[in-house]
Amino acid sequence: VRGDGADDLRSFLERLRRERPGDVVDVRREVSPRHETAAILARLEERFRSPVLVFHRVRGSLLPVVTNVCGTVARLALALGCRVADLAERYARACERPVPPVFTGEAPVQEIVRTGADVDLSFLPALVYHEHDAPNPWITAAIVAARDPDSGTVNLSYHRLMVDGKDRTSIYMEPGKHLDRIRLRHEAAGHEMPIAAFIGAHPAWSVGACFTGSPDVEEYAIAGGLVGEPVALARCVTQPSVPVPARAEIVLEGVVPPAERLEEGPFGEFTGHATGTMAAPVFRVTAITSRRDPLFQDVVSGSFEHLLLPSLGIERHALEVARKAVPGVAAARLLAPLTIAVSLRKRDDGEPWRVIEALLDSDVYTKHVVVVDEDVSAVDARQVWTAVALRVQADRGVRIYPGRRGTPLDPSADSADGRTAKMGIDATTPLRPARPLTRNSIPREVLESVDLRAILGEGLTPRA
Ligand code: MN
């Protein structure tokens, strides 16, 4: 964190190049925007590598593409100025002590302004990821800003945009989430919803935009709280009620008209699946502003970055909801898509169900909840499934909740409205088990008396 309010995607990339040169890979040969950038990241991920990729020459566009910026916890920790182990605490602290944004006079993101007939999205790289995705160009790292007409707070959230013509995209909004609720209020009044989609973000803006919880919270203030200094904002040129980061790379300003729909998809999502097409709202672009030499940022859909980016926000919210239900909750973890594991020191056998029901009600993206005892690490999928195997009798430890509100992105959902059966698993040991249970243990004094050096000889080398 520079401390001069000038943190942005560029300064973060510069810092990475300086402090962790192995974390940035420059690809200078020409690549195709159709599947090839996604293929390069997929091949790296197979080898457990996850660098930021900078594609300097992408066919069909003059703009460099930057991807996988938030692809490792180590980079998030560097961006937020904390240790990896402290990321959750850093996020929670930002929510307790948000730092409101400030308007600045200077807005590099408005160095170039195009309005009216000059609006043309075809200068952007036309990225397509998966084989069965709709062939239109996709914009995956646009953070959409919109003002809540009732509270006046500004919401930030990620939305996939499918480009359809020079000044129009679809915009996918998860039903029940904050932006969709704002849209419905505009629609009920017969009004257009003014929005701005900004591209090119410091990681704090990215993870801040993934705040999950009260609609009264301004995600800009979470982003500010994450780095301890306010995000510098500028007013949009054609949608002056909507503020955008003055140091973003590109801003698409515009409106979502009340009745217009566009057939959107298929699009391979974070679940690893596409779920067909749908009639999505439309984003009419009224202005494009940018730096003189903008970087185009994206997130390869379904990549590790795609799962990691929202996890800090989701886990913080899950922990808050679970602790409100039961104070003895120790940890909450997004264990797999749509799946939360919670560890708990329970005082009565009803507590796991109170946690499960609170969490299943709290979010369309929470479908399965597993509760384990405090001696099981909720962050370790192997330990959680071992507890499910050894501490559950399924006729009383598993409850099914049919007909709940879930996400249409879940490939198992029967219909596009996202109706889903949810499930809770209480994998905690009963406070009074039916049979005496004793965990394996070796007497501590015997463990401590073992001299491995003597057993293995002097050749013993310490292991990392
Ligand atoms: Mn919000």
Side-chain angles (χ1 to χ4, degrees), residues 155-156 178 214-215 217 219:
N155 183 64
L156 299 181
H178 197 179
S214 165
V217 171
E219 283 84 359

PDB file of all heavy atoms in Angstrom, residues 155-156 178 214-215 217 219, ligand 1:
ATOM      1  N   ASN A 155     -23.856   0.449  -4.768  1.00  0.00           N
ATOM      2  CA  ASN A 155     -23.549  -0.979  -4.756  1.00  0.00           C
ATOM      3  C   ASN A 155     -22.491  -1.289  -5.806  1.00  0.00           C
ATOM      4  O   ASN A 155     -22.478  -0.699  -6.888  1.00  0.00           O
ATOM      5  CB  ASN A 155     -24.803  -1.795  -5.066  1.00  0.00           C
ATOM      6  CG  ASN A 155     -24.535  -3.282  -4.985  1.00  0.00           C
ATOM      7  OD1 ASN A 155     -24.223  -3.784  -3.904  1.00  0.00           O
ATOM      8  ND2 ASN A 155     -24.617  -3.976  -6.102  1.00  0.00           N
ATOM      9  N   LEU A 156     -21.590  -2.212  -5.457  1.00  0.00           N
ATOM     10  CA  LEU A 156     -20.645  -2.756  -6.443  1.00  0.00           C
ATOM     11  C   LEU A 156     -20.853  -4.256  -6.523  1.00  0.00           C
ATOM     12  O   LEU A 156     -21.034  -4.915  -5.495  1.00  0.00           O
ATOM     13  CB  LEU A 156     -19.194  -2.498  -6.025  1.00  0.00           C
ATOM     14  CG  LEU A 156     -18.714  -1.068  -5.861  1.00  0.00           C
ATOM     15  CD1 LEU A 156     -17.232  -1.071  -5.478  1.00  0.00           C
ATOM     16  CD2 LEU A 156     -18.925  -0.275  -7.148  1.00  0.00           C
ATOM     17  N   HIS A 178     -28.243  -7.851  -4.663  1.00  0.00           N
ATOM     18  CA  HIS A 178     -28.470  -6.420  -4.471  1.00  0.00           C
ATOM     19  C   HIS A 178     -28.756  -5.675  -5.779  1.00  0.00           C
ATOM     20  O   HIS A 178     -29.709  -4.898  -5.868  1.00  0.00           O
ATOM     21  CB  HIS A 178     -27.257  -5.827  -3.753  1.00  0.00           C
ATOM     22  CG  HIS A 178     -27.531  -4.489  -3.140  1.00  0.00           C
ATOM     23  ND1 HIS A 178     -26.595  -3.783  -2.440  1.00  0.00           N
ATOM     24  CD2 HIS A 178     -28.649  -3.730  -3.143  1.00  0.00           C
ATOM     25  CE1 HIS A 178     -27.120  -2.639  -2.041  1.00  0.00           C
ATOM     26  NE2 HIS A 178     -28.366  -2.587  -2.438  1.00  0.00           N
ATOM     27  N   SER A 214     -25.341  -6.894   4.221  1.00  0.00           N
ATOM     28  CA  SER A 214     -26.346  -5.840   4.222  1.00  0.00           C
ATOM     29  C   SER A 214     -26.245  -4.938   2.991  1.00  0.00           C
ATOM     30  O   SER A 214     -25.164  -4.501   2.606  1.00  0.00           O
ATOM     31  CB  SER A 214     -26.164  -4.983   5.477  1.00  0.00           C
ATOM     32  OG  SER A 214     -26.889  -3.770   5.323  1.00  0.00           O
ATOM     33  N   PRO A 215     -27.409  -4.621   2.373  1.00  0.00           N
ATOM     34  CA  PRO A 215     -27.397  -3.692   1.237  1.00  0.00           C
ATOM     35  C   PRO A 215     -27.055  -2.255   1.650  1.00  0.00           C
ATOM     36  O   PRO A 215     -26.807  -1.422   0.776  1.00  0.00           O
ATOM     37  CB  PRO A 215     -28.833  -3.782   0.693  1.00  0.00           C
ATOM     38  CG  PRO A 215     -29.648  -4.345   1.798  1.00  0.00           C
ATOM     39  CD  PRO A 215     -28.744  -5.171   2.641  1.00  0.00           C
ATOM     40  N   VAL A 217     -24.401  -1.431   3.159  1.00  0.00           N
ATOM     41  CA  VAL A 217     -22.943  -1.269   3.163  1.00  0.00           C
ATOM     42  C   VAL A 217     -22.470  -0.864   1.773  1.00  0.00           C
ATOM     43  O   VAL A 217     -22.868  -1.457   0.772  1.00  0.00           O
ATOM     44  CB  VAL A 217     -22.268  -2.596   3.594  1.00  0.00           C
ATOM     45  CG1 VAL A 217     -20.769  -2.531   3.392  1.00  0.00           C
ATOM     46  CG2 VAL A 217     -22.606  -2.904   5.048  1.00  0.00           C
ATOM     47  N   GLU A 219     -19.756  -0.952  -0.897  1.00  0.00           N
ATOM     48  CA  GLU A 219     -18.574  -1.766  -1.175  1.00  0.00           C
ATOM     49  C   GLU A 219     -17.327  -0.913  -1.383  1.00  0.00           C
ATOM     50  O   GLU A 219     -16.212  -1.361  -1.085  1.00  0.00           O
ATOM     51  CB  GLU A 219     -18.823  -2.672  -2.382  1.00  0.00           C
ATOM     52  CG  GLU A 219     -19.704  -3.895  -2.072  1.00  0.00           C
ATOM     53  CD  GLU A 219     -21.199  -3.618  -2.136  1.00  0.00           C
ATOM     54  OE1 GLU A 219     -21.576  -2.449  -2.408  1.00  0.00           O
ATOM     55  OE2 GLU A 219     -21.988  -4.545  -1.912  1.00  0.00           O
TER      56      GLU A 219
HETATM   57 MN    MN B   1     -24.271  -4.205  -1.926  1.00  0.00          MN
END
